[in-house]
Amino acid sequence: MRHDHLITSKQLSREDIETVLDRAAEIAAEPEAVAGTYEGTLLGLLFYEPSTRTKMSFETAMKRLGGDVVDMGAVESSSVSKGETLADTVRVIEGYTDALVLRHPREGAATMASEFVDVPLINAGDGAGHHPTQTLLDLYTIRENAGLDDLTIGIMGDLKYGRTVHSLAYALTNFDTTQHFISPTSLQLPREVVYDLHQRGTSIKEHEDLAAVLETLDVLYVTRIQQERFPDKEEYRKVAGQYQIDVETLEAARDELTIMHPLPRVNEIAPEVDGTEYATYFEQAHNGIPVRMALLDLFLGETDE
Ligand code: CP
């Protein structure tokens, strides 16, 4: 994979994606083969927004490769609270580390920050923009459970503010997929994303009702309504609680349906679904480790071709 930074899934070709997923599968099958490979390597973690999975799985991945992390910590306890700019912060921390992982509430922050550093910078989520490493672990999970070609996927919930949705939708255009988008009208995909997906020749359809497509789906990707992104909390209250699935909802689903969620969930998937054969979201979260180990391996260079 020949990229200086990983900012958005738009930059990833099918070959790039398969390189990461194949490497992740090798690492998952034989993790001891890479243990200790990156002893002495340091990964800088800059999280300006809360995270459990992304931050902890990057830390786990780096440590399982033999390296370590340097964590800026909470924004409030860093010099960001004194008014330091993002550009200055990344320029300082690149001098301490071999690669940077950045999560930031502003869309475009990762692109901007990458212009100030020479070490690889990986976007761990920029506002309502993109979350490409989540997408890579999503694709890994889809490939393991349903295959990536001849795939019919439903993506449901907050399609407007959900960065995991935007990244996944673009990445899937590299494969033979039909994408159904299910949401209230107020949370539809941004029109520029719809335009781009059409331009890339992908078959997409938009719906307000899951029942219209559920029985055709191989994968249902459920997302949380992103309360923190709503400028008007009244607008959030109007849509909160819509699009919940439970065991009754799934009576019309195919037996082979795979249900995914980037997590955290609030109430979109009832806990009773967790024990069904459909539920794949915890496996999906665990796949973050081999996938992020593969990404770090490819960016840090030992096996870059
Ligand atoms: N899926 C995801 O990005 O989770 P976190 O916000 O916990 O990192």
Side-chain angles (χ1 to χ4, degrees):
M1 195 164 70
R2 294 239 167 255
H3 296 289
D4 294 334
H5 308 287
L6 178 57
I7 305 298
T8 159
S9 65
K10 289 185 204 179
Q11 76 192 71
L12 297 175
S13 65
R14 181 177 179 129
E15 189 186 349
D16 289 333
I17 292 166
E18 287 175 342
T19 298
V20 178
L21 304 198
D22 290 348
R23 185 74 186 122
E26 284 171 11
I27 289 171
E30 204 180 351
E32 57 281 6
V34 289
T37 318
Y38 288 94
E39 199 178 331
T41 300
L42 287 175
L43 181 66
L45 302 177
L46 297 92
F47 279 71
Y48 289 70
E49 268 194 342
S51 170
T52 299
R53 276 145 293 274
T54 312
K55 187 172 174 181
M56 292 187 72
S57 64
F58 262 116
E59 181 166 354
T60 306
M62 189 71 260
K63 289 181 173 174
R64 288 206 186 283
L65 289 168
D68 210 337
V69 298
V70 178
D71 184 354
M72 185 181 79
V75 165
E76 302 75 41
S77 60
S78 76
S79 286
V80 176
S81 65
K82 302 175 195 164
E84 185 167 48
T85 65
L86 178 59
D88 281 357
T89 301
V90 293
R91 275 185 289 194
V92 170
I93 300 180
E94 81 158 331
Y96 304 160
T97 59
D98 301 290
L100 300 173
V101 177
L102 173 68
R103 171 170 290 187
H104 198 279
R106 287 297 292 268
E107 199 170 328
T111 306
M112 187 283 283
S114 71
E115 290 165 5
F116 288 88
V117 295
D118 293 323
V119 300
L121 185 142
I122 298 173
N123 180 10
D126 61 326
H130 285 268
H131 193 350
T133 69
Q134 176 69 43
T135 291
L136 287 164
L137 74 89
D138 293 343
L139 295 173
Y140 183 91
T141 308
I142 294 170
R143 189 170 82 163
E144 294 276 298
N145 286 277
L148 279 166
D149 280 312
D150 194 21
L151 174 79
T152 302
I153 185 169
I155 303 180
M156 184 171 88
D158 186 347
L159 312 182
K160 179 178 182 180
Y161 296 116
R163 58 193 173 201
T164 65
V165 171
H166 307 156
S167 283
L168 182 60
Y170 279 103
L172 285 171
T173 64
N174 289 292
F175 302 90
D176 175 19
T177 58
T178 300
Q179 301 190 45
H180 293 280
F181 295 99
I182 306 126
S183 72
T185 315
S186 62
L187 294 180
Q188 281 182 329
L189 269 186
R191 294 300 90 182
E192 65 269 24
V193 178
V194 172
Y195 175 85
D196 288 348
L197 298 181
H198 278 295
Q199 288 295 106
R200 288 173 172 230
T202 294
S203 170
I204 72 161
K205 295 192 178 89
E206 296 179 280
H207 314 268
E208 284 190 57
D209 186 4
L210 175 63
V213 290
L214 178 59
E215 66 184 6
T216 71
L217 301 181
D218 302 308
V219 172
L220 175 60
Y221 189 96
V222 183
T223 63
R224 177 177 67 89
I225 307 290
Q226 307 275 304
Q227 178 178 7
E228 65 275 25
R229 311 259 178 247
F230 279 68
D232 178 352
K233 295 303 168 203
E234 186 49 37
E235 287 304 309
Y236 169 74
R237 275 190 287 276
K238 280 186 200 162
V239 291
Q242 291 186 26
Y243 299 91
Q244 294 172 340
I245 61 168
D246 55 22
V247 167
E248 197 181 331
T249 320
L250 294 171
E251 280 171 7
R254 299 175 57 230
D255 288 346
E256 299 78 18
L257 177 71
T258 296
I259 298 181
M260 297 174 60
H261 191 308
L263 304 178
R265 71 174 151 182
V266 181
N267 52 12
E268 311 79 55
I269 301 176
E272 66 190 19
V273 177
D274 300 356
T276 70
E277 292 287 310
Y278 304 119
T280 314
Y281 25 93
F282 292 111
E283 172 190 326
Q284 179 186 355
H286 296 158
N287 288 337
I289 302 298
V291 169
R292 291 185 169 116
M293 287 172 77
L295 259 182
L296 291 173
D297 187 32
L298 292 164
F299 270 100
L300 292 167
E302 288 287 309
T303 60
D304 200 4
E305 291 163 6

